[in-house]
Amino acid sequence: MSDGIMSKAATMEIPISSNGDTGSLPEDDGLEQDLQQVMVSGPNLNETSIVSGGYGGTAEGIIPTSTIKGSGLHQAHPSPAVGGEEVVRGIAVEKFDIVKKWGINTYKCTKQLISERFGRGSRTVDLELETQIELLRETKRKYECVLQLARAFTNHFYSLVQTQHALGDAFADLSQKSPELQEEFGYNAETQKLLCKNGETLLGAVNFFVSSINTLVNKTMEDTLMTVKQYETARLEYDAYRTDLEELSMGPRDASTLCRLDTAQSQFQSHKDKYEKLRADVAIKLKFLEENKIKVMHKQLLLFHNAISAYFAGNQQQLEQTLKQFNIKLKTPGAEKPSWLEEQ
């Protein structure tokens, strides 16, 4: 049995030691947040199914209520009053069972979490996977910064284009009303209109960049991190039930303990299978995310560079060619909103 407990492919148990000096530990805001996470997914008493699993678990082991109530409802012609009481009693028992299982699981996970944080226990660590997860979180933070700056650039540049448009209209009006400066006002009006047109084109390109980065950060990366959170929950549950099994294994072997040991072994195996499945899911998602990130960013960084360079070089033809190259379509003149708002 001990071999089954300790065999952890590509993982290791990391003992945590505080040398017994807990008084000098700094306040750990993360512990409070993790405890809140443990408590947050409470039992759903509106469900009519008995659910086995963790506070963040899936609907594994669902027993439909109909199978439970059916045994009581198909008796030989029970009276309506008696049948109704049995149904109510059955639902009450189900809800109590849900609360009981959730409470036991929450207690074990909370105990394990506190034990890890204060150096009195061990946790299972997949060093390679956790390094990749931390790298993803750091990358997401940096990409969010780029996204924020790109949006700020878009807003500021949109204001500039609007100002150029108004300035062009003012020059055009003065050109008609100032015969002695008609030519000078005229070519300034044309220049502002051209800059405004090119600015609209650049904003279309930058907005496409912003939209793509937003999708990568807030949809693709976030989806992977949601699976990571499920994996981290499963890891905590796995270690909690592993610790429980190890403690029972070191106790006396009387009939009562052997029964509890069998139950603990079964629960441990269930959480181990869940943990290993989610670990594999996270590894696959991280791999595909990295490939997708490189593909998306290669295209978007090339677009951003070419569009910015063409605009500030005054190369209108190259600017328009950049949008065609990346299949970016602007709205036709006279549309209600500026072209750059098309995908925002």
Side-chain angles (χ1 to χ4, degrees):
M1 182 178 297
S2 61
D3 293 338
I5 298 172
M6 300 306 295
S7 60
K8 303 174 181 67
T11 64
M12 66 179 72
E13 290 176 29
I14 303 297
I16 307 168
S17 174
S18 64
N19 297 323
D21 182 12
T22 58
S24 61
L25 290 175
E27 290 187 11
D28 192 344
D29 294 335
L31 175 59
E32 182 179 353
Q33 293 173 3
D34 288 341
L35 286 172
Q36 289 174 353
Q37 176 63 31
V38 169
M39 300 299 296
V40 98
S41 300
N44 186 351
L45 299 183
N46 293 321
E47 292 291 338
T48 55
S49 301
I50 296 177
V51 181
S52 64
Y55 57 90
T58 60
E60 297 174 359
I62 293 179
I63 304 174
T65 309
S66 58
T67 63
I68 300 173
K69 291 187 288 189
S71 61
L73 294 176
H74 289 85
Q75 295 176 359
H77 308 291
S79 66
V82 174
E85 289 178 1
E86 289 182 353
V87 170
V88 171
R89 189 180 300 112
I91 293 174
V93 169
E94 288 177 24
K95 290 185 176 181
F96 175 78
D97 192 45
I98 292 171
V99 173
K100 180 180 177 182
K101 290 182 178 181
W102 173 79
I104 292 172
N105 189 78
T106 301
Y107 167 75
K108 290 181 184 294
C109 292
T110 303
K111 178 183 175 183
Q112 174 66 25
L113 183 63
I114 294 173
S115 177
E116 290 176 7
R117 291 300 177 93
F118 290 96
R120 294 189 293 270
S122 64
R123 66 186 294 264
T124 302
V125 178
D126 187 325
L127 291 175
E128 181 180 357
L129 192 62
E130 294 197 11
T131 299
Q132 293 176 6
I133 290 171
E134 184 54 37
L135 180 61
L136 169 59
R137 287 186 168 128
E138 180 65 21
T139 300
K140 185 172 183 286
R141 285 191 291 268
K142 291 180 178 179
Y143 276 38
E144 284 171 339
C145 181
V146 169
L147 181 60
Q148 181 181 10
L149 292 171
R151 282 174 169 159
F153 176 91
T154 302
N155 291 331
H156 293 317
F157 197 76
Y158 173 69
S159 297
L160 172 63
V161 170
Q162 291 295 95
T163 302
Q164 288 174 330
H165 188 277
L167 189 57
D169 288 344
F171 283 150
D173 180 62
L174 285 168
S175 175
Q176 295 176 358
K177 298 177 180 178
S178 307
E180 68 283 0
L181 295 171
Q182 181 177 8
E183 183 177 350
E184 289 82 355
F185 275 126
Y187 60 64
N188 272 282
E190 290 300 318
T191 298
Q192 292 303 317
K193 288 180 180 179
L194 177 61
L195 289 173
C196 188
K197 180 178 181 300
N198 289 346
E200 284 282 329
T201 306
L202 176 61
L203 283 168
V206 175
N207 185 66
F208 186 80
F209 174 85
V210 168
S211 176
S212 299
I213 303 303
N214 181 63
T215 299
L216 177 64
V217 171
N218 293 315
K219 292 184 179 178
T220 311
M221 288 184 178
E222 188 60 33
D223 175 72
T224 301
L225 286 173
M226 286 298 294
T227 305
V228 166
K229 290 177 183 177
Q230 294 172 3
Y231 158 75
E232 291 172 340
T233 295
R235 196 283 305 164
L236 181 63
E237 290 177 333
Y238 165 69
D239 277 337
Y241 283 87
R242 173 184 59 79
T243 301
D244 190 47
L245 179 59
E246 289 172 350
E247 290 175 353
L248 282 172
S249 299
M250 293 185 293
R253 296 303 180 94
D254 53 34
S256 175
T257 304
L258 288 174
C259 181
R260 291 172 59 197
L261 197 57
D262 287 341
T263 301
Q265 177 67 50
S266 175
Q267 292 175 333
F268 164 75
Q269 188 61 47
S270 174
H271 286 288
K272 179 182 178 183
D273 293 342
K274 178 182 176 183
Y275 162 72
E276 290 180 345
K277 180 184 181 300
L278 280 166
R279 184 177 64 185
D281 290 347
V282 169
I284 292 171
K285 284 202 171 189
L286 286 171
K287 179 178 181 294
F288 284 120
L289 174 61
E290 183 64 19
E291 293 173 356
N292 184 52
K293 182 192 73 174
I294 293 172
K295 181 180 178 181
V296 169
M297 292 307 297
H298 174 77
K299 175 181 177 180
Q300 295 305 318
L301 291 171
L302 187 62
L303 162 67
F304 192 84
H305 173 271
N306 290 353
I308 291 285
S309 299
Y311 174 83
F312 285 100
N315 192 334
Q316 180 182 359
Q317 183 179 359
Q318 183 62 42
L319 183 59
E320 292 175 353
Q321 183 60 38
T322 298
L323 267 67
K324 290 179 182 178
Q325 178 185 351
F326 291 94
N327 297 316
I328 301 172
K329 296 180 180 179
L330 302 179
K331 285 187 176 180
T332 55
E336 292 183 3
K337 291 183 179 180
S339 57
W340 69 276
L341 288 171
E342 185 171 13
E343 296 188 23
Q344 187 156 313

